[in-house]
Amino acid sequence: MRQTTVGRVKRMLQTWITGESGQVSGEGLHDIDKYNAMHDADDADGRNKGYVDLVNSYYNLATDFYEWGWGQSFHFAEKWPAESFSESICRHEYYLAMRLGVKPDDAVLDCGCGIGGPLRNIGRFTGARVTGVTLNQYQVDRGNALCAQANLDHKCKLVQADFHKLPFEANSFDHAYSIEACCHSPDRADVYREVFRCLKPGGYFISYEWCVTDLHDAKNAEHMLSKKLIEEGDGLPDLLHTKTCDEALERVGFEMIESRDAALDANPGGEPWYRILTPSYFSLFRLQFTWWGTFLMNRVLNGMEMVGLAPKGSQKVREMLRQGQLGLVMGGEMGTFTPMYLVLARKPLK
């Protein structure tokens, strides 16, 4: 049976109260304060060292909120004219599968899969066996339940793993991809090295990467504010420059096929990736980003906390996500940030 909106909200609030285990342990109540403390220190080195706690705390808090408001695929996409948001998301994923040349009998790795929206779409689209890894156990449990509901559990599955230490034998996968996930790593080369190890010779790896662009100026206060807000609101240790991805892939042995900022691709009459996050009184989803929407949401959450309908810290969670929204729109409009720096690389045959 398809889950109702009320059911999703109820589960979202319960998750914040109980934590990822589903048992009332109090852990969920501490996640937001623990997460905020990591960013309040404004120490990228500290966040890099503690990336496991950083990412787990973030997704314990944000996963159900994302699914409820965004869908099962936690990523951006530019919209083409007359295209719906969900259609743009699927097209964004199918493009990766086509560039990889995935065949029905292939084994494919999704590196940083969230709750598995992309791996289910790509599994349906190609017929391939797709295995996703995510650090967060709650996402694994939720994603595998969704695979079963979609009758895809015979070929699509999620595994709990750190993508710095993938639990697979060498040469296990025909191809691999990542969608806006490697930014959670403090060391891109280390992640790419593990992907390289798990790929069969001749296998391709393609990824959409979150990066600062050539327009980013570390001496510009507005640029640095956007970067900080994105890191704070999206569970990131430190945003890196686009060229870091190219250099890291080549350093671990990949042959670079292509790299470009796909956010700059021509799209006449369409919408940029960040438009969905901008305020609008004419869009039900974007209404929440207006002054009145933000005020109303904060008052409602505060009231729900006071009477016990929402756990303490709910309003803090929304404020955390709002900081990310503000930073992303700033970075998108200035052109100093992209969530879709596309890299395509190949593991040599020998």
Side-chain angles (χ1 to χ4, degrees), residues 321-334:
L321 297 174
R322 193 176 76 88
Q323 295 304 307
Q325 172 253 328
L326 293 172
L328 288 164
V329 172
M330 287 175 62
E333 290 178 341
M334 295 185 297

Side-chain angles (χ1 to χ4, degrees), residues 170-171 195-205 253-255 345-350:
N171 308 321
V195 173
F196 185 91
R197 180 184 66 81
C198 292
L199 276 177
K200 296 176 183 178
Y204 286 88
F205 171 62
F254 276 106
E255 297 174 350
R346 178 176 178 265
K347 182 175 180 176
L349 286 170
K350 294 183 180 180

Side-chain angles (χ1 to χ4, degrees), residues 225-299:
L225 175 60
S226 170
K227 179 176 180 290
K228 176 177 172 54
L229 291 175
I230 294 170
E231 291 166 352
E232 178 181 332
D234 294 282
L236 307 183
D238 190 20
L239 276 173
L240 303 177
H241 191 276
T242 53
K243 67 181 180 182
T244 305
C245 301
D246 300 56
E247 294 170 352
L249 284 164
E250 292 177 336
R251 187 158 71 249
V252 303
F254 276 106
E255 297 174 350
M256 287 297 300
I257 305 299
E258 180 185 359
S259 62
R260 74 177 197 277
D261 184 357
L264 300 178
D265 290 354
N267 184 19
E271 296 181 3
W273 62 268
Y274 56 85
R275 182 67 56 80
I276 190 69
L277 297 179
T278 58
S280 173
Y281 288 101
F282 303 101
S283 164
L284 184 60
F285 181 80
R286 293 164 59 193
L287 180 65
Q288 64 182 302
F289 304 130
T290 65
W291 186 91
W292 279 108
T294 297
F295 176 81
L296 180 61
M297 287 292 292
N298 287 343
R299 297 290 78 76

Side-chain angles (χ1 to χ4, degrees), residues 177-232:
Y177 68 88
S178 179
I179 303 179
E180 302 182 23
C182 294
C183 53
H184 289 295
S185 168
D187 186 345
R188 297 287 172 92
D190 197 44
V191 176
Y192 295 159
R193 187 177 294 108
E194 273 294 273
V195 173
F196 185 91
R197 180 184 66 81
C198 292
L199 276 177
K200 296 176 183 178
Y204 286 88
F205 171 62
I206 193 168
S207 181
Y208 290 118
E209 297 282 352
W210 280 34
C211 298
V212 293
T213 71
D214 289 337
L215 295 180
H216 176 77
D217 181 359
K219 296 179 181 179
N220 184 303
E222 193 173 12
H223 295 183
M224 292 303 293
L225 175 60
S226 170
K227 179 176 180 290
K228 176 177 172 54
L229 291 175
I230 294 170
E231 291 166 352
E232 178 181 332

Side-chain angles (χ1 to χ4, degrees), residues 20 31 34-35 38-39 43-60 111-112 133-136 139 160-167 181-194 231 234-240:
E20 60 182 322
D31 272 323
K34 180 169 66 174
Y35 178 84
M38 293 181 195
H39 280 282
D43 176 15
D45 289 338
R47 297 197 303 274
N48 285 342
K49 293 176 182 177
Y51 80 95
V52 172
D53 280 342
L54 179 72
V55 174
N56 255 325
S57 295
Y58 179 77
Y59 281 113
N60 285 346
C111 193
V133 296
T134 175
L135 191 62
N136 187 267
Q139 291 189 331
Q160 192 278 328
D162 184 338
F163 51 23
H164 292 272
K165 303 171 185 176
L166 292 172
C182 294
C183 53
H184 289 295
S185 168
D187 186 345
R188 297 287 172 92
D190 197 44
V191 176
Y192 295 159
R193 187 177 294 108
E194 273 294 273
E231 291 166 352
D234 294 282
L236 307 183
D238 190 20
L239 276 173
L240 303 177

Side-chain angles (χ1 to χ4, degrees), residues 5-39:
T5 299
V6 172
R8 283 187 178 181
V9 174
K10 182 178 179 181
R11 181 167 55 82
M12 177 174 68
L13 295 176
Q14 182 181 7
T15 301
W16 291 349
I17 296 171
T18 63
E20 60 182 322
S21 66
Q23 302 297 318
V24 180
S25 63
E27 284 300 313
L29 298 176
H30 300 303
D31 272 323
I32 184 61
D33 291 326
K34 180 169 66 174
Y35 178 84
N36 283 341
M38 293 181 195
H39 280 282

Side-chain angles (χ1 to χ4, degrees), residues 87-160:
E87 288 170 344
S88 71
I89 290 291
C90 288
R91 172 182 48 76
H92 206 61
E93 296 165 0
Y94 296 158
Y95 176 77
L96 296 190
M98 293 178 67
R99 291 300 306 273
L100 288 173
V102 177
K103 300 185 293 295
D105 58 345
D106 282 346
V108 180
L109 173 66
D110 182 329
C111 193
C113 63
I115 61 170
L119 72 84
R120 284 184 291 278
N121 284 337
I122 289 174
R124 288 190 194 95
F125 181 60
T126 65
R129 291 172 289 114
V130 189
T131 301
V133 296
T134 175
L135 191 62
N136 187 267
Q137 185 62 50
Y138 177 72
Q139 291 189 331
V140 171
D141 297 339
R142 177 63 183 151
N144 281 328
L146 290 169
C147 288
Q149 289 176 20
N151 294 320
L152 290 168
D153 49 328
H154 61 291
K155 61 180 179 181
C156 295
K157 67 176 181 179
L158 289 76
V159 176
Q160 192 278 328

